[in-house]
Amino acid sequence: KVANSALRAALTQTLKSYRPNLLAQLKEKREKALQSEVETFKVLETYAYTDDYEAHEMQRCILSPFYIRKEYNGRKIEWAFAQYLDALPEVEWWLKNGDSGKDYLSIRYTDSQTGELSLFYPDWIVRFTNGTIGIFDTKGGITAVSQDTKDKGEELQRRIKKLNSLVREQHYVGGIVRFANGKWYANNADTYTCNPMNTDGWSLLEDLLV
């Protein structure tokens, strides 16, 4: 028993000594992943769609026609946002991003609940007439206040800052987008918060272009 106790104490001390190194390795791994996350993304000439999608003619969608899934959670708000973008004079073109695969824009982020790196596919890529590129993700209802949305929203802001620092000739804006009080609002704060009862901390989407 004495030997076992001594061995247990030695193992405990070893684990305590190793923990800082492990944490440092994990931090370095995350930093390297974030440093390599500015992937090259380009709009393809064609995309494949299944029978789950339906086609709509839109004026400013860079793809003609615009395809949207017939039924899914979030369709109502995404269809409304597509119509909003299509009618906005400040929009040169817009693209509905996919939700998986290498052909679409993805952002690595850390899930704060699991500590795991995951991929986030923001819903919309928009080029405005002043040359600004917008990266947005529409949320409605309870999804706008979830921890997952907070993780993605804050990582999106870090990504936008990184893009603006690395790509001097291009300006980027973006954030989580919600519809409230008859208008579209975007959250471009470093720390994401969402109160369903008000729009404190949120900006009118059009104001991001000023």
Side-chain angles (χ1 to χ4, degrees), residues 23 34 63-64 70 87 91-92 100 148 194 200 204 206:
L23 293 176
L34 292 174
L63 301 178
S64 181
K70 298 174 183 177
V91 170
E92 181 178 329
S100 65
D148 185 59
C194 179
D200 293 348
L204 286 172
E206 292 96 325

Side-chain angles (χ1 to χ4, degrees), residues 113-136:
Q113 296 178 313
T114 65
E116 297 292 327
L117 281 174
S118 301
L119 285 180
F120 160 44
Y121 290 81
D123 292 321
W124 309 91
I125 302 166
V126 184
R127 180 177 174 87
F128 296 95
T129 53
N130 65 359
T132 295
I133 297 294
I135 304 173
F136 303 102

Side-chain angles (χ1 to χ4, degrees), residues 88-210:
L88 196 64
E90 293 84 358
V91 170
E92 181 178 329
W93 58 258
W94 58 267
L95 170 72
K96 176 67 174 70
N97 195 34
D99 54 15
S100 65
K102 63 181 181 179
D103 291 336
Y104 298 102
L105 176 65
S106 63
I107 295 174
R108 292 186 184 93
Y109 76 101
T110 300
D111 185 317
S112 63
Q113 296 178 313
T114 65
E116 297 292 327
L117 281 174
S118 301
L119 285 180
F120 160 44
Y121 290 81
D123 292 321
W124 309 91
I125 302 166
V126 184
R127 180 177 174 87
F128 296 95
T129 53
N130 65 359
T132 295
I133 297 294
I135 304 173
F136 303 102
D137 196 68
T138 40
K139 295 294 181 185
I142 195 169
T143 61
V145 300
S146 70
Q147 181 62 44
D148 185 59
T149 295
K150 177 178 173 65
D151 292 340
K152 292 175 179 178
E154 292 178 358
E155 190 55 53
L156 178 53
Q157 293 311 312
R158 285 191 283 270
R159 164 63 72 91
I160 288 172
K161 284 188 175 181
K162 176 177 259 187
L163 287 172
N164 282 326
S165 68
L166 294 177
V167 189
R168 300 290 185 178
E169 66 277 8
Q170 182 68 63
H171 181 60
Y172 295 85
V173 298
I176 303 298
V177 172
R178 59 187 280 220
F179 189 73
N181 305 320
K183 297 180 180 179
W184 291 97
Y185 289 83
N187 189 302
N188 63 335
D190 292 341
T191 301
Y192 178 87
T193 59
C194 179
N195 186 335
M197 304 303 294
N198 58 57
T199 56
D200 293 348
W202 293 64
S203 304
L204 286 172
L205 192 147
E206 292 96 325
D207 290 346
L208 298 186
L209 306 180
V210 177

